[in-house]
Every structure is written in structure tokens, then in C-alpha cells.
Amino acid sequence: MDDPATIGHRVQRLRAQRGLTQRQLADPSYTPAYVSTLESGKVRPSETALRFLAERLGTSYEELATGRPAHLATELRLALVEARRQLATGTAEEAAVRYRRLLADAEHLGLVPERAEALLGLGDCALETGELADAGDHFQAAERLLAEEPLPRRVRAIRGRAVAHLLAGELRYACYLLESAIDELGASGLADPEALVVLYAAVIGPYMDMGAHARAAHAAELALALAPQVGDPALLAGMHRQVARTFLAEGRTADADASLAKAQAIYQQLSLRTDLAHCHWMRGYVQAQNGELESAETELRAARDMLNARRAALFTAHVEVELADVLRRLGRHDEASDLLSAFLEPGDRHGAVHAGGAHRLLGLIAEERGDSETAEEHYVMALGLLERSGASGDLADLCRLLGDLLRRGGRTEAALDAYRTGLGHRSPPGTTTLGPPPTTPAFPRH
């Protein structure tokens, strides 16, 4: 709402244009004196008063309070919906161009919710293109804009920040953001089912990567319990995709595949191509774990081709790590090494967890070729990357591989050091270094 003087001048101008006296404008709910005081800018009108005057003046409350025609805000909201559709069905770069334009329009019009929506869209675009720092900045800016809003309105921004940290290999901080939001929802009494499903589905990934399978399973159980109360099909599909990971960790491959099939059917219906690619990705992973390597290769190649067509570079690279593992297990070492070559560049722009996984695979390939020195270099590189991420399960396995390699080379003391390091990263199932898990919020049951 504009300041009283601006609103007063606007009321006076519109009244004069319509040929109304102050008494005619005020009747029957207000007095001419009130209208006079308002027009002089000496009083801030209530929303009730402005809605009454807007109706008398033949305009909208929004236009009287802010000076902008109501249709502009409506058109901007429609354009944001279209940008979301474009992100789902086109490329992230094209959607980002539209979101930046809409952000500028929302800033010009002073529309805070629409500014936040545009920033959330830009964050999603940046996640898809692998610009993780930009993604985090966009989500954080959206969260600041919504700081006075109830927590359920801020959940998408919090989830976005957590995903950016997760993809960058900062697993503990991703868990912290999501667990803190779950606790806050419970403490505030705002146990919104849709917000909780967003948070529970998002926290499954970092829990699994940290080896906290019991926590991941509990989050999946809570998300599934809330699913009947959620009306957003895309959100439900994402939840089914994450829940499949917990089924897989429990050895329930049939349940994992069934959950992924549900997600895939929804994504196909909604034409959400990136999410559909993620379903192919996870199904390939499930099949690889079950020893169905040819089927896994087909699913993973489908995922990679779909993501590559959308120029989703970060996710494409992550799928290629999974595909390289399948190719290695099929004995196609050269193809696997070619896929992993991008991870040989300095830095971990692909995310520490997947970069560590790539070096682990390159170490295995080198070992299988009899090149122990190169294998050790890759294992050490992987160890440095994974130690930063907190991926405890991966670290324990990597230390075992390194220890075995050193022991076979006669370096017993160095092998013992590697084994001890691995033991230090093993923890009881379901635990993390984060302290107690978030409190389960009390939510209405229908």
C-alpha cells in the first residue's frame, strides 16, 4: 500500500474524474469530513474503507491502494505459471530468460509474492543447469522476501537451498536446513501436509547419502502417510521417487520399482521431462543393484539422453557416473572411462559426492587393469572429496578398497591406517552426526 498522501491524491483525482462530491463518495458509510481528511493525506485508510471507496469510484482495491491496475498483477501471475510450464517441458536456459524478465516486472510493480515466485523459478533453473551458487542465492533471496510469511509459504525456498547444498556435497548442512524446518513446523502448529511432504521427500536424499537409512525410511513412512492429504500430483510423484530409495536400501526392489512406476506415470501425464528423466535414472539404479545390468544401461541411457536434451549439465554428469559403473561391471572399461573423463578436471563443480564416486570408479577400473599406482591416486582423490561431504557409507567402502589395495602391495601399516579411517566413518544404522532426528509434527488426520 502506498503512503497516505499518495493514496489521498489518487482518491481526489478519481473522484474529480467521475464528477462526485465528497458527500456523494462518502455516503452512506462515511462522512464528507473523513473523505476530506483522507484526500489531504492526514489519515491512513483501512482496507475496509479503501474497498468501499474503490467500489464507489468504479476501480479495484489494488489500483486504489497501489496505483497499478489489477489486471497487471493477474497477467504477471499467469506468465509465471507459463514460465513454470516452460521449465517443465523446455530448457532451463529458456525458462530462466522468461523468469528474469518477470522478476524485473514484479520489482517494477512492487509485487512481493510474484518476485518471490520468479526467484524460486530462477533457482530451479540454476539447479538444473548446475549453477549451484546462483541457485542458492536465488532461493535465499526468495526466502528473505517471504520472511514475514508463515513457514509453509517458505518451504519451497528452504527445500531449494537444501538441494543446492546437497548437490554441492554439503550433506550435513542440507539435513540441518530441512530438519530445522520440520521442527519449526511442529513447534508452530503449522503442520501443513503439503509442506511436510516437500520436506520429508527432500531429506531422504541426504539421509541416504550419509548412510542414515533408518532416518530415511522414517521420513519416507511419514511422507507416504501424508500423501492422501496432498493434491499436487507433481509433489506426490517426487515423493514416490524419493521413497523408492528407502525401499531399495531395505532390499525391497519390487516395492522400489512399483513406487518409481507410480512417479513415472504421473510425470508422463504432466509432461515433466526432467522429473521423468530422474525416474529412468532411479529405475536404472534399482536394476543395477539387482544385477540386471543390461536393463539398467537402457534406463540410464534414456535418463542421460533426456537430461542432455534439456542441457541439464549437472544431472547429466551424475547419471553418467551411474552409467559408468554399469559399463564397468559389464567389462566395458574404455566406455566407462570416457564417461568419467569430465571429472578429471580440477575442482568438484559436479558436486563432491558424485565427483568422489567418479574417482572411486576410475580407481576400480585402474585396479582391474593392473595399474595399482593410478588406482591409489584416484582412491585418495575420492577420499578427499567424500570427507568434505559426510557421505559416511561411501567413505567406509572407499577406505576398504584403499586398504585392500595397499595390503596387496605389501604396505601393511598404510593399509591399517586406511581401515581405521573407514571404521571411524561407520556408524549405527539410522544415525548421523547431527544429533537427534527432527520431532514428528502433529498433523490433522482425515
Side-chain angles (χ1 to χ4, degrees):
M1 185 184 293
D2 286 336
D3 60 87
T6 302
I7 293 173
H9 176 73
R10 191 175 295 131
V11 169
Q12 183 181 42
R13 175 174 54 79
L14 291 171
R15 179 178 63 78
Q17 287 175 356
R18 285 152 180 74
L20 297 173
T21 66
Q22 289 179 338
R23 181 176 298 280
Q24 288 171 324
L25 178 60
D27 285 344
S29 300
Y30 296 91
T31 65
Y34 175 75
V35 172
S36 176
T37 304
L38 187 155
E39 289 183 350
S40 65
K42 295 177 181 176
V43 63
R44 175 174 288 279
S46 66
E47 181 180 336
T48 301
L50 276 186
R51 290 193 181 280
F52 170 81
L53 295 174
E55 185 177 353
R56 299 283 290 163
L57 291 167
T59 188
S60 68
Y61 162 78
E62 186 174 42
E63 185 164 2
L64 197 58
T66 66
R68 59 176 176 261
H71 71 87
L72 292 180
T74 303
E75 289 172 1
L76 184 58
R77 285 190 283 271
L78 289 172
L80 285 164
V81 171
E82 177 59 24
R84 173 63 56 181
R85 187 200 66 77
Q86 184 173 16
L87 175 58
T89 60
T91 69
E93 288 95 337
E94 293 166 348
V97 170
R98 176 169 287 192
Y99 273 123
R100 280 192 287 270
R101 186 171 64 249
L102 294 174
L103 177 61
D105 291 344
E107 288 172 343
H108 176 70
L109 294 171
L111 296 169
V112 172
E114 287 72 19
R115 282 176 63 195
E117 186 63 31
L119 285 165
L120 289 170
L122 283 170
D124 287 336
C125 292
L127 283 180
E128 192 154 312
T129 56
E131 299 162 296
L132 300 182
D134 288 344
D137 290 344
H138 291 315
F139 289 125
Q140 197 158 28
E143 193 175 353
R144 281 196 298 267
L145 281 175
L146 299 171
E148 302 303 317
E149 296 289 328
L151 180 56
R153 286 276 292 114
R154 292 181 272 123
V155 157
R156 281 177 59 204
I158 294 168
R159 173 198 170 276
R161 285 179 60 205
V163 170
H165 286 289
L166 171 64
L167 293 174
E170 298 158 3
L171 278 62
R172 291 189 182 89
Y173 192 63
C175 284
Y176 165 76
L177 287 173
L178 296 165
E179 289 185 345
S180 297
I182 292 169
D183 278 336
E184 188 179 341
L185 274 173
S188 66
L190 299 173
D192 178 270
E194 191 162 300
L196 284 170
V197 169
V198 168
L199 295 170
Y200 283 133
V203 83
I204 289 171
Y207 278 164
M208 293 293 289
D209 288 340
M210 292 181 74
H213 294 166
R215 281 201 188 185
H218 184 57
E221 179 186 342
L222 292 169
L224 287 169
L226 286 165
Q229 300 178 50
V230 174
D232 182 350
L235 176 56
L236 283 175
M239 181 268 294
H240 281 299
R241 196 177 80 214
Q242 293 297 338
V243 164
R245 296 189 67 182
T246 69
F247 287 150
L248 183 62
E250 295 170 354
R252 297 162 59 185
T253 53
D255 288 335
D257 207 47
S259 192
L260 288 167
K262 291 178 185 177
Q264 201 162 353
I266 295 172
Y267 288 137
Q268 284 174 327
Q269 185 178 356
L270 297 176
S271 299
L272 300 178
R273 295 178 187 173
T274 297
D275 293 307
L276 182 58
H278 277 266
C279 282
H280 283 292
W281 178 1
M282 184 57 83
R283 291 190 79 175
Y285 179 74
V286 169
Q287 290 164 347
Q289 296 305 304
N290 209 30
E292 303 166 26
L293 299 181
E294 289 80 8
S295 298
E297 181 185 357
T298 299
E299 292 287 351
L300 291 170
R301 286 194 183 280
R304 186 189 63 164
D305 291 346
M306 293 172 76
L307 291 167
N308 198 42
R310 291 179 51 74
R311 298 197 288 276
L314 182 67
F315 292 137
T316 300
H318 290 182
V319 171
E320 287 177 341
V321 175
E322 305 285 358
L323 179 57
D325 185 38
V326 169
L327 294 173
R328 180 193 68 82
R329 290 164 65 187
L330 287 168
R332 292 150 63 184
H333 290 167
D334 289 341
E335 289 180 66
S337 296
D338 287 344
L339 282 178
L340 299 170
S341 60
F343 290 89
L344 296 175
E345 300 170 9
D348 59 343
R349 62 187 179 88
H350 298 300
V353 173
H354 285 84
H359 280 285
R360 173 186 172 278
L361 284 175
L362 287 165
L364 285 168
I365 292 169
E367 267 205 85
E368 289 161 4
R369 287 172 166 168
D371 187 350
S372 298
E373 184 177 343
T374 300
E376 182 180 348
E377 289 174 3
H378 283 300
Y379 288 153
V380 171
M381 181 73 73
L383 191 61
L385 288 162
L386 292 176
E387 279 183 327
R388 291 210 309 274
S389 73
S392 301
D394 292 340
L395 274 166
D397 177 66
L398 181 63
C399 289
R400 177 189 60 79
L401 289 172
L402 179 58
D404 289 351
L405 176 68
L406 294 170
R407 180 174 53 81
R408 285 194 297 270
R411 297 158 64 187
T412 307
E413 285 302 319
L416 286 171
D417 286 342
Y419 290 140
R420 290 189 193 102
T421 301
L423 286 171
H425 288 295
R426 293 191 65 80
S427 56
T431 63
T432 70
T433 58
L434 300 172
T439 304
T440 303
F443 49 83
R445 298 188 182 275
H446 301 290

